[in-house]
Amino acid sequence: MSHEHHHHEHECCEHEHEHSLKEQLTLIIITAILLIGAVVIEKSFQLSVWQLLLVYLVPYLLIGHETLKEAAEGIVHGDAFNEHFLMSVATIGALCIGFLPGAETQFPEAVFVMLFFQVGELFEGYAEGKSRESIAHLMDIRPDIAHVEIRGKTEEVRAVSPEQVEVGSIIVIRPGEKVPLDGVVIEGKSALNTVALTGESVPRDIDMGDEVISGCVNLSGVIKVRTTKSFGESTASKIIELVEHASEHKSQSETFITRFARVYTPIVVCAAIAIAIIPPLFSGNFVTWLYRALMFLVVSCPCALVISVPLTFFGGIGGASRKGILIKGANYMDVLAKIDTVVFDKTGTLTHGQFAVEAVHPETCNEHQLLHLAAHVEHFSTHPIGAALRDAFPDEATDGCRLSDVEEIAGHGIRAKVEGKIVCVGNTKMMDAIGAKWHDCPLCGHEHHSVTGTIIHVAIDGVYAGHIVINDKIKDDSTEAIRQLKQLGINKTIMLTGDRKEVGEHVARQLQLDEYHTELLPADKVKFFEDYRNNGITSSRNNEIKKQDHVIAFVGDGINDAPVLARADIGIAMGGLGSDAAIEAADVVLMDDHPSKIALAIRIARRTLAIARQNVWFAIGVKVAVLILATFGLATMWMAVFADVGVTVLAVLNAMRALKYSK
């Protein structure tokens, strides 16, 4: 399906929905007027039962023809026991009661039941429209056009559909335009509005070399971007596809209600038939019991449950998406609400994932020279540590020093010749291999000092020259995230990292985590997680093995943590923007780098489930009460109407609360 067609189709659906609601409202108003007119005619003129039937049939058929049609189609297709069938049987029965000997006509009640049923349908349609609106705001991120630069003619650009842009093309994005495709900025600087993706109103500054993702709005400068993904693989397309399919994954509550309605409705119909037939055999008052049976049918219609529960989850998913939290389906809402253990990856989740030089401790030279040599050796390295060293010595690329014989030794570090000196930059294994007498940083891991991080050792011509401490900064939001999780009653927060014990211990202490495990390879993380979930795990604090029986969430960056994300009870991808692995492997994707969104996602899920439960208990409670009253002849048709349509309207209005979340 083409992009333009999809976009046009979405707009058409919205327009048709609004038009349908207006038609429905007009029909309800006209029917109400006709019903009032029919009652006035009945009171003013002495008409026969047949004449009265004709008067009331006009508003009845006007408002009820669709319901009667749906009931007939249900019978034809073998799905007779639905709310349309119940409404049709109850109202047709009410119309027929007036023809029985000694019975009063129930024509106004029959029309009113059908009228009120349509009022309920109107409220349902309105609420569903509101729910769709909350998700439709994501459609605003879908770009309309892309301005592609024609190669060789830098001043000329051509406007095309984003679907036609090839990977590697250069696109020009002007102020006010949406970013049509994922890519890297090759010229210009600007600020991006990411509110549609992340829910954050603060613009994000971008410069040359920065990645941009589709769906953001360019606010200030003109930028040129080299595309890295096709339109179908872009962030905007994947997010929209994810949310559009979220409703396919039903929650336990929705699945239960669907099964309940299938069993409940035939039982109710049989019970109504029994009420109409069995008591008259003993009392002989057939009309009274028929009337009670019809009331029983009206009351028992499961509209409130069948409509409001899915609507609640639909609203919850839409409300979460407005906050930058993408939940892949209502079933994950159930799991989110029950989480009691959260396992975190460290790098990129609790920390920024961007290393910076924390301290420089030279031995045979000064700090400037030590950094200078280390930055030169790491000139071609793609490792984050190499980037941190280069950032700490920005003049490295332009100072004219000769660099040669660069050799990367896996698991050790890098060796190179800088201005004729053989410089080795790496870990303790490298120092041992060349015979350099290294030592640990005296300040790292010391309880009275704040210096902590990965130690990079440097040797010049085989002689130990000192070390540099590289650190990954803890996110400002991480402390607040852990605090909020504990407030929510999360029993345990655990961190898994491949980093040194001292580094992991420092982060765990700063964030007040319950447990941490360090120096883990990706495969170790998977094994740890499976052991923890299935067989119990040795606690790092008391060395006791305890069998775990908890709902566990794993929070990772979604790239190298994909196997663990998939194995968790629920996988949450942190900072998943533009990460295919995050969107594919995780059940929940947080659209920014704020760990506190985990607590927000849990709150939204718990609130959504609470609203669904309120609707279930309220609907069942009122229906049971009125059913008992109807059986013993203490209920009227108006009470029956309230127990069905009135309860549905109230449940739908309650379900709409799931759309908006505020603390």
Side-chain angles (χ1 to χ4, degrees):
M1 185 184 287
S2 72
H3 157 63
E4 290 93 343
H5 179 70
H6 194 114
H7 193 65
H8 177 68
E9 187 183 71
H10 173 72
E11 287 181 346
C12 284
C13 286
E14 272 193 347
H15 180 71
E16 283 175 15
H17 181 74
E18 285 179 18
H19 184 67
S20 173
L21 286 180
K22 285 178 182 175
E23 278 190 351
Q24 206 172 355
L25 181 60
T26 305
L27 205 61
I28 287 168
I29 293 168
I30 293 170
T31 304
I33 293 168
L34 289 174
L35 177 59
I36 293 167
V39 172
V40 170
I41 290 170
E42 182 182 2
K43 299 294 181 185
S44 304
F45 301 97
Q46 291 294 323
L47 299 176
S48 68
V49 174
W50 284 103
Q51 288 170 327
L52 272 178
L53 176 65
L54 292 173
V55 170
Y56 280 103
L57 268 180
V58 175
Y60 176 80
L61 292 174
L62 182 66
I63 198 70
H65 68 279
E66 280 295 329
T67 303
L68 295 169
K69 181 183 169 188
E70 291 281 346
E73 286 178 357
I75 294 168
V76 170
H77 295 111
D79 181 29
F81 298 113
N82 55 44
E83 65 266 28
H84 300 286
F85 173 77
L86 293 179
M87 284 295 117
S88 299
V89 170
T91 52
I92 290 169
L95 290 173
C96 295
I97 281 178
F99 293 94
L100 296 174
E104 290 183 15
T105 58
Q106 303 292 333
F107 300 149
E109 284 88 340
V111 179
F112 192 81
V113 167
M114 199 61 91
L115 176 65
F116 225 59
F117 180 64
Q118 287 303 320
V119 170
E121 296 272 295
L122 178 71
F123 271 91
E124 180 201 346
Y126 175 75
E128 191 172 315
K130 281 290 180 186
S131 296
R132 290 194 181 280
E133 267 179 39
S134 73
I135 287 178
H137 80 281
L138 281 172
M139 294 300 172
D140 293 338
I141 72 177
R142 194 188 291 276
D144 300 314
I145 55 169
H147 294 102
V148 182
E149 187 175 272
I150 299 171
R151 296 184 187 277
K153 299 178 182 178
T154 55
E155 298 301 318
E156 192 175 339
V157 294
R158 185 172 72 243
V160 298
S161 164
E163 289 178 329
Q164 297 174 318
V165 180
E166 295 178 358
V167 175
S169 300
I170 294 171
I171 56 175
V172 179
I173 306 165
R174 303 182 181 94
E177 292 180 347
K178 292 189 189 81
V179 177
L181 298 145
D182 295 8
V184 178
V185 179
I186 60 169
E187 188 180 310
K189 59 172 67 175
S190 183
L192 296 181
N193 179 350
T194 64
V195 69
L197 292 172
T198 66
E200 296 296 325
S201 56
V202 180
R204 174 188 157 208
D205 293 326
I206 54 160
D207 207 335
M208 281 180 59
D210 289 338
E211 289 188 5
V212 294
I213 50 172
S214 51
C216 299
V217 178
N218 185 20
L219 295 176
S220 47
V222 176
I223 54 172
K224 288 186 180 180
V225 172
R226 179 177 284 109
T227 61
T228 54
K229 291 181 182 177
S230 63
F231 178 74
E233 294 299 313
S234 69
T235 302
S237 294
K238 282 188 171 290
I239 289 169
I240 291 167
E241 183 183 351
L242 187 156
V243 177
E244 282 178 339
H245 291 96
S247 59
E248 293 175 6
H249 304 279
K250 291 187 180 295
S251 70
Q252 290 177 354
S253 306
E254 287 178 281
T255 307
F256 165 75
I257 291 300
T258 304
R259 289 201 305 265
F260 173 78
R262 283 177 187 160
V263 175
Y264 165 85
T265 310
I267 290 172
V268 159
V269 172
C270 293
I273 292 169
I275 289 171
I277 295 173
I278 297 170
L281 295 177
F282 301 97
S283 67
N285 198 340
F286 178 70
V287 174
T288 300
W289 287 103
L290 177 61
Y291 183 65
R292 291 178 186 179
L294 294 175
M295 275 195 293
F296 195 90
L297 279 180
V298 173
V299 174
S300 61
C301 184
C303 301
L305 298 175
V306 175
I307 293 167
S308 69
V309 173
L311 201 61
T312 303
F313 283 96
F314 195 59
I317 290 169
S321 71
R322 282 187 177 278
K323 300 287 184 181
I325 302 164
L326 299 185
I327 300 171
K328 285 191 176 181
N331 53 328
Y332 300 117
M333 283 266 193
D334 286 322
V335 186
L336 265 174
K338 296 171 188 169
I339 289 171
D340 62 4
T341 303
V342 181
V343 181
F344 293 92
D345 173 48
K346 178 180 78 72
T347 307
T349 303
L350 295 171
T351 63
H352 285 286
Q354 296 174 338
F355 288 92
V357 171
E358 179 87 359
V360 182
H361 298 147
E363 298 264 326
T364 60
C365 57
N366 60 37
E367 290 186 12
H368 182 272
Q369 288 173 317
L370 193 68
L371 263 179
H372 165 252
L373 291 170
H376 269 289
V377 172
E378 297 278 358
H379 179 79
F380 297 108
S381 173
T382 56
H383 195 279
I385 287 175
L389 290 170
R390 290 194 299 274
D391 290 343
F393 196 83
D395 298 332
E396 167 264 329
T398 57
D399 64 5
C401 282
R402 294 191 311 278
L403 178 69
S404 61
D405 303 335
V406 181
E407 181 187 2
E408 185 164 348
I409 303 163
H412 288 66
I414 300 177
R415 178 168 53 208
K417 193 177 281 187
V418 183
E419 290 294 305
K421 297 175 182 177
I422 296 174
V423 182
C424 296
V425 179
N427 57 22
T428 55
K429 292 176 185 175
M430 175 169 264
M431 296 298 108
D432 289 337
I434 63 172
K437 294 182 180 178
W438 61 274
H439 61 79
D440 259 329
C441 175
L443 300 181
C444 284
H446 197 282
E447 62 181 356
H448 298 301
H449 297 280
S450 60
V451 176
T452 238
T454 304
I455 301 171
I456 309 300
H457 297 278
V458 182
I460 303 171
D461 290 331
V463 179
Y464 189 64
H467 55 262
I468 300 165
V469 183
I470 304 288
N471 197 8
D472 184 7
K473 299 289 185 185
I474 296 173
K475 291 177 184 173
D476 296 335
D477 195 53
S478 293
T479 306
E480 178 64 15
I482 302 301
R483 187 188 67 79
Q484 288 186 22
L485 287 173
K486 290 185 183 296
Q487 272 187 347
L488 287 171
I490 299 302
N491 294 332
K492 208 164 203 179
T493 51
I494 302 170
M495 181 183 71
L496 307 181
T497 178
D499 220 328
R500 291 165 50 244
K501 183 184 177 184
E502 291 82 359
V503 177
E505 186 178 14
H506 171 73
V507 173
R509 192 169 60 244
Q510 290 284 98
L511 298 178
Q512 298 183 344
L513 297 171
D514 298 313
E515 197 174 306
Y516 65 92
H517 297 268
T518 58
E519 299 178 17
L520 301 175
L521 296 171
D524 296 331
K525 290 183 183 181
V526 175
K527 184 177 185 304
F528 171 91
F529 195 87
E530 290 184 341
D531 287 345
Y532 188 91
R533 192 174 61 176
N534 299 326
N535 308 317
I537 190 71
T538 303
S539 168
S540 62
R541 293 190 171 181
N542 53 21
N543 292 325
E544 292 179 2
I545 294 182
K546 294 181 179 179
K547 182 68 178 176
Q548 302 295 329
D549 186 21
H550 302 301
V551 177
I552 308 169
F554 181 81
V555 189
D557 60 14
I559 300 168
N560 47 16
D561 293 313
V564 195
L565 282 167
R567 280 169 170 77
D569 292 319
I570 188 160
I572 303 173
M574 258 321 285
L577 282 181
S579 166
D580 292 339
I583 292 174
E584 293 299 325
D587 308 310
V588 178
V589 181
L590 307 184
M591 298 304 295
D592 54 28
D593 271 336
H594 296 159
S596 60
K597 287 280 178 80
I598 302 163
L600 180 59
I602 293 171
R603 281 196 200 96
I604 290 173
R606 288 181 181 178
R607 183 171 179 266
T608 302
L609 256 71
I611 292 171
R613 287 194 198 101
Q614 289 165 12
N615 284 340
V616 169
W617 288 113
F618 174 66
I620 290 175
V622 173
K623 282 181 182 295
V624 168
V626 179
L627 282 174
I628 293 168
L629 291 173
T631 305
F632 292 100
L634 300 173
T636 64
M637 187 62 82
W638 306 108
M639 289 171 68
V641 168
F642 171 77
D644 173 42
V645 184
V647 167
T648 301
V649 170
L650 292 173
V652 165
L653 290 173
N654 191 40
M656 287 175 71
R657 292 195 301 121
L659 285 166
K660 295 276 177 71
Y661 179 83
S662 57
K663 288 187 181 180

